[in-house]
Amino acid sequence: MRLARIAHPDGVAFGSIEAEGDNDEAAQVLEIADHPFGQPNFTGRRWPLADVRVLAPILPTKVIAVGRNYTKHAEEFGNEVPADPMIFLKPSTSLIGPNAPIKLPPASSRVDFEGELAVVIGQPVKNVPADRAGAAILGYTVANDVTARDLQSADGQWGRAKGFDTFCPVGPWIATSVDPADLALRSEVDGVVKQDGRTSDLVHTVPELVAFVSSVMTLLPGDMILTGTPEGVGPIEAGQSVSITIDGIGTLTNPVQSA
């Protein structure tokens, strides 16, 4: 199932995207009552996907991101891979959905894209072991951990560099049946491939990350864990467009603007 959050003529709703094969041009969105957690309750209303606006697929209470979780990405900045996952928080106000603009803040002279697999939590969980972490996961989506690289270096901590409004594009939807163990991840800027990695290169796997994060904080339905980015990150500028594709999930595209 592909779970989306959409703006339709009567408001905003969650829905399941139904299509034949990979033909999303003729896909329909089946409205889900209330929320997408647990067994979906369909209202009977539907819209063509082409007639609705796809939003960020979920509104989390928190976004937990993981740094230096691909060895080659750590090496491209001269860093070592930490023994334990290096986690930090991005504010919920940094979230935007597909096609919404990433806005470059005046405080930074270099803003980078970082394509990532995002884990979406489906039920409250605390201190879950890795071998049971899968039961707590609703599904997976695509994320861009946008980073003001110069501020990250200057501050020595990452709250400001990672926390600007629009610095966490996610979407286009949540894939509930994908296996995250070995997915191709590709990032493009204006159609030029910049990152070409696989989730099989994650230092700490998805179950290990869920277990580790839940040992620190309670994870609630809708919370997201961004799992880290492969090598090849780089700057983006106003007027460009960033597209991140993960096999089995879809493509997240966002234009870039000056704030």
Side-chain angles (χ1 to χ4, degrees), residues 3 29 48 63 68 86 104 110 116 119 124 132-133 155 175 191 194 198 202 208 213 218 231 234-235 240 247 253 256:
L3 300 171
V29 182
V63 178
R68 303 175 189 170
M86 176 186 290
L104 306 179
R110 173 170 169 169
E116 309 202 8
V119 181
R132 297 213 310 267
D155 291 353
K194 301 293 186 177
R198 304 196 70 88
L202 285 168
E208 292 168 348
V213 174
T218 299
E231 65 178 322
Q240 293 184 318
D247 283 358
T253 298
V256 184

Side-chain angles (χ1 to χ4, degrees), residues 55-58 95-98 118 141-144 168-172 224 226 252:
L55 308 172
I58 205 75
L95 258 75
I96 56 173
T141 191
V142 185
N144 186 350
C168 192
V170 292
M224 287 187 182
L226 276 53
L252 170 67

Side-chain angles (χ1 to χ4, degrees), residues 32-253:
I32 296 173
D34 300 323
H35 59 73
F37 307 109
Q39 185 64 35
N41 179 21
F42 293 98
T43 67
R45 298 204 299 174
R46 64 172 62 208
W47 300 271
L49 180 59
D51 292 348
V52 301
R53 182 161 59 94
V54 179
L55 308 172
I58 205 75
L59 296 176
T61 70
K62 52 189 173 292
V63 178
I64 306 98
V66 182
R68 303 175 189 170
N69 200 28
Y70 286 81
T71 300
K72 290 184 178 179
H73 171 61
E75 290 175 347
E76 71 181 338
F77 284 96
N79 297 312
E80 296 182 356
V81 175
D84 292 324
M86 176 186 290
I87 63 174
F88 57 94
L89 296 175
K90 292 178 77 80
S92 59
T93 48
S94 66
L95 258 75
I96 56 173
N99 302 311
I102 299 167
K103 296 185 178 181
L104 306 179
S108 175
S109 60
R110 173 170 169 169
V111 174
D112 285 9
F113 67 89
E114 295 189 5
E116 309 202 8
L117 173 71
V119 181
V120 182
I121 300 299
Q123 59 181 279
V125 64
K126 181 74 168 79
N127 292 322
V128 65
D131 61 0
R132 297 213 310 267
I137 296 172
L138 175 65
Y140 304 89
T141 191
V142 185
N144 186 350
D145 178 20
V146 182
T147 304
R149 193 69 69 196
D150 52 345
L151 302 184
Q152 183 184 31
S153 298
D155 291 353
Q157 54 81 27
W158 302 356
R160 180 166 67 134
K162 302 277 192 175
F164 285 97
D165 290 356
T166 77
F167 270 29
C168 192
V170 292
W173 36 67
I174 299 166
T176 63
S177 59
V178 69
D179 182 349
D182 186 26
L183 300 173
L185 186 159
R186 184 176 66 255
S187 298
E188 301 178 16
V189 178
D190 287 346
V192 178
V193 176
K194 301 293 186 177
Q195 289 181 294
D196 190 4
R198 304 196 70 88
T199 58
S200 53
D201 292 328
L202 285 168
V203 176
H204 304 286
T205 66
V206 166
E208 292 168 348
L209 292 176
V210 174
F212 181 83
V213 174
S214 75
S215 73
V216 178
M217 64 191 77
T218 299
L219 293 169
L220 299 175
D223 285 351
M224 287 187 182
I225 300 175
L226 276 53
T227 58
T229 193
E231 65 178 322
V233 303
I236 49 178
E237 298 178 356
Q240 293 184 318
S241 178
V242 184
S243 294
I244 301 165
T245 301
I246 299 181
D247 283 358
I249 301 177
T251 299
L252 170 67
T253 298

